[in-house]
Amino acid sequence: MIHTNYLVIGSGIAGLTFAVKIAEKFPSKTVTIVTKSDENESNTKYAQGGVAVVLDTKEDSFEKHIQDTLIAGDGLCDFSVVEMVITEGPKRFRELIEWGANFDVDASGNFDLGKEGGHSEYRVVHHKDITGYEIERALLQRIHQLENITLLTHHFAVDLITEHQLKIQPKEQVTCYGAYVLNEKNGTILTINAENTLLASGGIGRVYGHTTNPVIATGDGIAMAYRAKAAIKDMEFIQFHPTALYSSEGSSTFLISEAVRGFGAYLRDKKGHRFMLDYDERAELASRDIVSQCIDKELKKSGDTHVFLDCTHLNIAEFIKHFPTIYDKCKSLHIDISKDWIPVVPACHYLCGGIVVDQQGKTTINNLFSCGETSRTGLHGANRLASNSLLEALVYAHNIYKHLSKNNTDFSPIEIPDWDDKGTTITEEHVLIQHNLKEVQALMRNYVGIVRSNSRLKKANIKLDVIYTEVEELYKTSKLNTSLCELRNMINVAHLIINQSIDRKENKGGYFNIDNIH
Ligand code: FAD
Ligand code: SIN
């Protein structure tokens, strides 16, 4: 058993930012970060476009950024949250610079601001096309300087410890006492007892298979919180990024940043028609939900597998300066962007919903907080404005830290038993795990994609139930391993997406159901 003051699950921008702040504030308290892969492996690491933040108040203003966010969110954003995040954003962004993160500046020394879909101004601060990698580098450097932080890599959080897990009756509200964590190197399960627990475990992209997200994005935090009975909302609002690099294998895919369209690239069908002009006056820079839905329509009409992003009219030397990683990736696939169009297709990219939190990042469970992509703050509504998520994570990590600095945790120690794995055996059924994972991904792609229908959602539920029963049986009889736990979590997340989709009777932002057209 490990005792810690603060348990942080996840080492992306959300978890690391909170850990740095709380560890600096309370040097005598302990912060334990658990993360299931290498220390920097996260969605954050792959963020390309940058951080949307109002820094240049001559051209831009908080009002404009607020309006853009509200329009993208299609009427479902929480106004007070939008206002708070956008006005606090510049202060939080500058802290990243104090911790050593570098962002591109122009010849006059001002931030080189990019533009993305749905933004009325240039306001996206970036580090070439590897913004997230740079942020992770700076945050991890700071983490390693702080002696009261322990960072446990390859440690997988299996479940939260609550009265529910301990099979006792909660007093009034359920309380979180930490988490059971699998040490992936030796297979043992640690009991980590914490006064406060932060779920900062990121997104869910892998539930769809065809995604811009890395393999860690399996929705573990949301599934754990759901099993512990926390409120979860807006799971139907899956954001599909319009321009993932097309691959005939159809699995994890490389992102072609929206900033490339902000730089002037055009979307074309295979005949060369610039089809976005037919749909929206903002053309390629309409918000992401609209561009993805239009591409989906075009593909259904033509029967093609992808459309194209045309950069051939752009200044290629400048392109390489801004987007060296994208340029190199295309080149490695023999796509010369000065002559060839880039094949692109929408892919699952971001979850707008998640664990319900208030403005202090508090969940509906005592002593459990959530931050970053795992959480549902109300900022994004039905569709996130591009580059608002890194900003959201910075602001909420700060709010949670502020809250915990001012308020003593109501924490009464209780007896926590070790993880009970009596009667389980090491599973010989890895093939079954892989097989069921592929089934979940296929059903989510085919029945719960960009365009949904009531009958497809119902069919998805029936198919998922069969997989659920088989996997629960395996879970109960097996010694835990990461892939089995991830599969179980993805099934929980798929269940939430399907059922919250069924409950939504109106099309909004990223949610489109043909049976809601009246
Ligand atoms: P993550 O960065 O995903 O971190 C989650 C962490 O939790 C990881 O360390 C993971 O290993 C760990 N974890 C997960 N489950 C467990 C478990 N069970 N036990 C232990 N550890 C666990 N947003 C922008 O604002 N601007 C952009 O330009 C941008 N570009 C993007 C480009 C790509 C390709 C992708 C995929 C996303 C992009 N986004 C962008 C979205 C943004 O990167 C993410 O929403 C954000 O980084 C999420 O941060 P996070 O800290 O919440 O989660
Ligand atoms: C991108 O660079 O296109 C991704 C930006 C984001 O997801 O916010």
Side-chain angles (χ1 to χ4, degrees):
M1 163 106 67
I2 294 176
H3 291 277
T4 187
N5 297 108
Y6 305 98
L7 170 63
V8 177
I9 301 175
S11 60
I13 186 170
L16 294 182
T17 304
F18 170 77
V20 166
K21 285 186 165 247
I22 206 80
E24 281 180 348
K25 173 82 182 178
F26 298 115
S28 62
K29 293 196 175 182
T30 54
V31 181
T32 303
I33 306 173
V34 295
T35 193
K36 67 176 172 178
S37 182
D38 294 340
E39 61 180 15
N40 72 347
E41 192 56 24
S42 57
N43 274 6
T44 303
K45 177 182 170 188
Y46 300 93
Q48 292 184 354
V51 187
V53 63
V54 177
L55 296 171
D56 170 12
T57 44
K58 264 190 262 130
E59 296 291 325
D60 202 2
S61 67
F62 290 139
E63 287 69 33
K64 285 186 188 171
H65 191 180
I66 289 170
Q67 272 313 308
D68 292 346
T69 302
L70 295 173
I71 292 168
D74 204 7
L76 293 192
C77 302
D78 177 334
F79 181 80
S80 61
V81 168
V82 175
E83 194 177 36
M84 180 275 289
V85 170
I86 284 166
T87 52
E88 287 293 305
K91 279 181 252 162
R92 306 288 73 90
F93 171 73
R94 287 187 198 283
E95 284 171 348
L96 268 185
I97 297 176
E98 280 162 29
W99 292 329
N102 296 304
F103 295 94
D104 294 351
V105 289
D106 62 20
S108 354
N110 299 317
F111 285 112
D112 176 38
L113 302 176
K115 194 172 183 183
E116 292 178 62
H119 287 275
S120 56
E121 292 293 342
Y122 284 81
R123 65 166 73 95
V124 181
V125 193
H126 53 91
H127 180 104
K128 300 194 168 33
D129 54 1
I130 50 164
T131 308
Y133 189 88
E134 171 62 11
I135 291 174
E136 279 286 308
R137 184 201 61 73
L139 284 170
L140 282 165
Q141 185 173 301
R142 189 75 200 107
I143 291 282
H144 291 304
Q145 288 160 353
L146 291 161
E147 283 178 3
N148 53 335
I149 297 183
T150 306
L151 172 56
L152 301 173
T153 59
H154 298 278
H155 278 67
F156 180 93
V158 176
D159 253 324
L160 297 170
I161 302 171
T162 62
E163 290 88 352
H164 175 69
Q165 261 285 335
L166 303 173
K167 298 193 175 57
I168 54 174
Q169 202 54 33
K171 276 187 207 123
E172 277 167 24
Q173 211 183 338
V174 177
T175 298
C176 179
Y177 301 93
Y180 289 114
V181 174
L182 169 69
N183 177 340
E184 293 178 321
K185 294 208 167 130
N186 63 16
T188 56
I189 308 244
L190 289 172
T191 307
I192 304 190
N193 181 207
E195 284 166 33
N196 290 287
T197 301
L198 175 67
L199 272 175
S201 45
I204 58 99
R206 305 302 302 182
V207 173
Y208 280 83
H210 188 248
T211 176
T212 62
N213 293 191
V215 289
I216 54 92
T218 53
D220 301 337
I222 294 168
M224 281 189 266
Y226 171 62
R227 291 194 292 268
K229 309 264 181 284
I232 315 279
K233 210 173 155 194
D234 291 349
M235 295 295 288
E236 66 276 32
F237 296 120
I238 304 294
Q239 185 169 74
F240 291 85
H241 196 293
T243 56
L245 185 61
Y246 172 73
S247 132
S248 53
E249 279 144 40
S251 62
S252 179
T253 181
F254 182 80
L255 182 72
I256 308 292
S257 174
E258 196 152 297
V260 171
R261 275 175 284 135
F263 194 73
Y266 298 145
L267 279 165
R268 297 190 188 279
D269 65 16
K270 68 168 181 262
K271 292 187 190 134
H273 178 54
R274 215 181 131 198
F275 58 86
M276 276 311 298
L277 291 168
D278 305 338
Y279 292 102
D280 194 292
E281 61 183 16
R282 295 167 295 174
E284 284 82 1
L285 287 180
S287 58
R288 222 166 249 191
D289 50 341
I290 294 174
V291 182
S292 289
Q293 284 166 16
C294 294
I295 296 177
D296 190 70
K297 252 188 226 162
E298 290 292 313
L299 294 180
K300 285 195 172 123
K301 258 194 317 196
S302 64
D304 294 337
T305 49
H306 54 279
V307 293
F308 295 92
L309 197 61
D310 175 8
C311 303
T312 56
H313 55 290
L314 301 175
N315 177 330
I316 298 303
E318 278 298 308
F319 185 101
I320 297 171
K321 211 167 103 195
H322 279 85
F323 308 111
T325 318
I326 293 174
Y327 177 81
D328 285 345
K329 177 74 185 182
C330 290
K331 200 167 148 200
S332 75
L333 297 170
H334 309 288
I335 303 166
D336 174 354
I337 63 137
S338 67
K339 294 193 208 106
D340 306 322
W341 299 343
I342 308 170
V344 290
V345 68
C348 174
H349 182 63
Y350 183 82
L351 173 66
C352 299
I355 305 165
V356 175
V357 293
D358 67 10
Q359 289 200 17
Q360 278 73 48
K362 284 190 276 172
T363 69
T364 52
I365 293 183
N366 283 332
N367 306 342
L368 178 68
F369 296 78
S370 180
C371 181
E373 195 164 338
T374 296
S375 66
R376 183 272 181 201
T377 63
L379 175 69
H380 309 306
N383 173 53
R384 175 181 63 106
L385 183 68
S387 287
N388 264 359
S389 51
L390 295 173
L391 185 74
E392 180 195 47
L394 288 174
V395 171
Y396 271 82
H398 176 82
N399 288 4
I400 298 169
Y401 143 79
K402 267 289 195 222
H403 172 81
L404 287 174
S405 306
K406 284 196 205 130
N407 297 281
N408 283 330
T409 306
D410 176 15
F411 183 76
S412 25
I414 63 162
E415 186 111 354
I416 301 175
D418 282 341
W419 183 262
D420 181 6
D421 63 358
K422 269 196 248 73
T424 60
T425 53
I426 295 175
T427 180
E428 303 286 325
E429 296 284 16
H430 287 288
V431 63
L432 222 104
I433 297 172
Q434 282 315 309
H435 172 74
N436 278 306
L437 171 62
K438 286 207 172 88
E439 288 217 355
V440 173
Q441 292 174 333
L443 91 82
M444 290 306 285
R445 255 196 326 269
N446 298 332
Y447 294 82
V448 200
I450 297 178
V451 175
R452 299 176 202 166
S453 75
N454 292 344
S455 74
R456 280 179 186 230
L457 289 171
K458 256 189 229 146
K459 281 184 192 140
N461 237 348
I462 295 167
K463 285 174 185 280
L464 191 70
D465 261 357
V466 177
I467 304 173
Y468 169 80
T469 310
E470 185 169 320
V471 172
E472 277 303 296
E473 186 56 34
L474 191 61
Y475 180 82
K476 281 186 199 132
T477 52
S478 305
K479 289 219 181 303
L480 295 191
N481 64 69
T482 300
S483 18
L484 178 56
C485 292
E486 286 181 336
L487 173 61
R488 185 172 180 244
N489 291 336
M490 284 190 269
I491 292 169
N492 286 170
V493 168
H495 169 81
L496 285 162
I497 297 171
I498 295 167
N499 285 287
Q500 297 196 0
S501 295
I502 289 172
D503 290 345
R504 172 151 294 283
K505 303 296 175 211
E506 190 188 17
N507 290 340
K508 283 275 172 195
Y511 184 75
F512 188 80
N513 180 330
I514 48 172
D515 293 313
N516 287 349
I517 306 168
H518 301 295

